């Protein structure tokens, strides 16, 4: 299935992975719609995304059902429909059981699972058996590590959401579950880490595009560990 001339909604389009995904979709001829939360993030993406001027950006709180439904009406009015969805919205958070209160736990669930659920729900009438939905889980949803409890659970909820949606919808619903992705924001947050073990962003993008286009793959959680390109000496 070709992405050319299709309309793809990318939530969290100004986040760490957003520009990689939107640039690649534009390169493949897709009409790209992106969401963002803050005006600062929207301004910043102009310097990070090569094709920012070719993406239709909308500011929306994806944890607010009324706001998401209003956004969906606007998108349909201005773009006709949405063919595919890539759910990048989320955000990393630290903290084990002793450092995570109820509010932080609920916030993580909202940031990861609620945003994905409300987005798909708002556009479900426009998704058919030619549509692909790719949600963003994490390696930590499959192999949890201590110190990131709410994040692990939030990404685990995305994993289950993808599997559940795929059982209900005509659209193909899959999720990627990468290890730490080697993007500038993560390097700045963890400057002493071993970057060689991290997953290259291009590998993640390639998998997202594969899942959007491949009509034979559905209900899969694709765990991605590593993925760095070989370096020539």
């Amino acid at each position: 299935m070709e992405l050319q001339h299709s309309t793809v909604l990318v939530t969290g389009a100004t986040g760490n992975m957003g520009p990689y995904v939107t640039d690649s979709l534009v390169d493949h001829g897709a009409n790209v719609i992106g969401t963002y939360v803050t005006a600062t993030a929207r301004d910043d993406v102009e310097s990070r995304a090569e094709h920012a001027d070719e993406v239709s950006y909308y500011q929306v709180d994806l944890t607010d059902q009324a706001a998401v439904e209003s956004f969906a009406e606007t998108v349909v009015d201005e773009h006709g429909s949405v063919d595919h969805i890539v759910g990048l919205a989320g955000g990393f958070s630290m903290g084990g059981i002793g450092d995570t209160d109820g509010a932080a736990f609920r916030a993580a669930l909202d940031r990861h699972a609620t945003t994905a659920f409300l987005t798909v729900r708002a556009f479900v009438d426009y998704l058919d058996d030619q549509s692909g939905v790719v949600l963003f889980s994490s390696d930590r949803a499959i192999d949890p590590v201590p110190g990131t409890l709410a994040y692990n659970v939030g990404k685990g909820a995305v994993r289950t959401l993808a599997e559940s949606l795929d059982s209900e919808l005509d659209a193909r619903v899959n999720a990627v579950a990468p290890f730490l992705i080697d993007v500038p924001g993560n390097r700045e947050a963890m400057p002493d880490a071993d970057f060689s073990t991290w997953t290259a962003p291009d590998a993640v993008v390639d998998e997202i595009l594969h899942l959007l286009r491949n009509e034979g793959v559905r209900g899969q959680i694709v765990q991605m560990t590593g993925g760095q390109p070989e370096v020539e000496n």
Side-chain angles (χ1 to χ4, degrees):
M1 177 183 299
E2 295 301 321
L3 294 172
Q4 190 171 15
H5 304 310
S6 65
T7 299
V8 185
L9 168 62
V10 180
T11 68
T14 60
N16 281 334
M17 277 298 300
Y20 295 95
V21 174
T22 57
D23 278 346
S24 185
L25 287 168
V26 171
D27 284 338
H28 282 79
N31 304 312
V32 183
I33 299 166
T35 73
Y36 67 96
V37 177
T38 68
T40 300
R42 170 65 184 88
D43 292 341
D44 178 64
V45 80
E46 291 287 344
S47 63
R48 297 168 50 230
E50 180 181 355
H51 301 307
D53 291 344
E54 298 177 61
V55 177
S56 299
Y57 290 101
Y58 295 84
Q59 186 175 26
V60 57
D61 179 359
L62 296 175
T63 67
D64 183 325
Q65 181 171 332
V68 177
E69 290 173 352
S70 177
F71 162 65
E73 291 177 0
T74 299
V75 168
V76 171
D77 286 344
E78 297 182 0
H79 299 273
S81 67
V82 164
D83 300 303
H84 308 285
I85 296 174
V86 179
L88 299 181
F92 188 68
S93 58
M94 295 291 294
I97 185 73
D99 307 309
T100 305
D101 60 16
F105 189 80
R106 287 188 295 272
L109 287 173
D110 275 349
R111 191 160 51 241
H112 301 291
T114 301
T115 56
F117 164 71
L118 290 178
T119 299
V120 176
R121 184 179 186 275
F123 289 96
V124 70
D125 290 341
Y126 304 95
L127 302 175
D128 57 27
D129 59 3
Q130 298 298 304
S131 300
V133 176
V134 180
L135 303 183
F136 215 72
S137 184
S138 169
D139 175 66
R140 295 176 189 231
I142 300 169
D143 297 313
V145 300
T148 55
L149 176 65
Y151 179 82
N152 298 349
V153 174
K155 288 300 191 183
V158 173
R159 173 187 180 181
T160 304
L161 177 65
E163 294 170 331
S164 299
L165 288 172
D166 189 70
S167 72
E168 289 194 20
L169 305 184
D170 290 333
R172 294 166 288 104
V173 185
N174 297 283
V176 292
F179 184 60
L180 282 165
I181 305 174
D182 192 6
V183 292
N186 285 343
R187 286 200 176 206
E188 291 171 8
M190 293 168 274
D192 298 324
D194 180 5
F195 305 137
S196 68
T197 65
W198 290 12
T199 305
D202 288 345
V204 179
V205 172
D206 287 347
E207 186 60 37
I208 289 172
L209 295 184
H210 168 72
L211 293 173
L212 287 179
R213 292 183 294 192
N214 193 323
E215 297 180 43
V217 181
R218 60 181 306 152
Q220 299 301 302
I221 311 301
V222 182
Q223 187 174 18
M224 304 183 68
T225 56
Q228 289 285 353
E230 294 184 3
V231 178
E232 294 183 2
N233 293 322

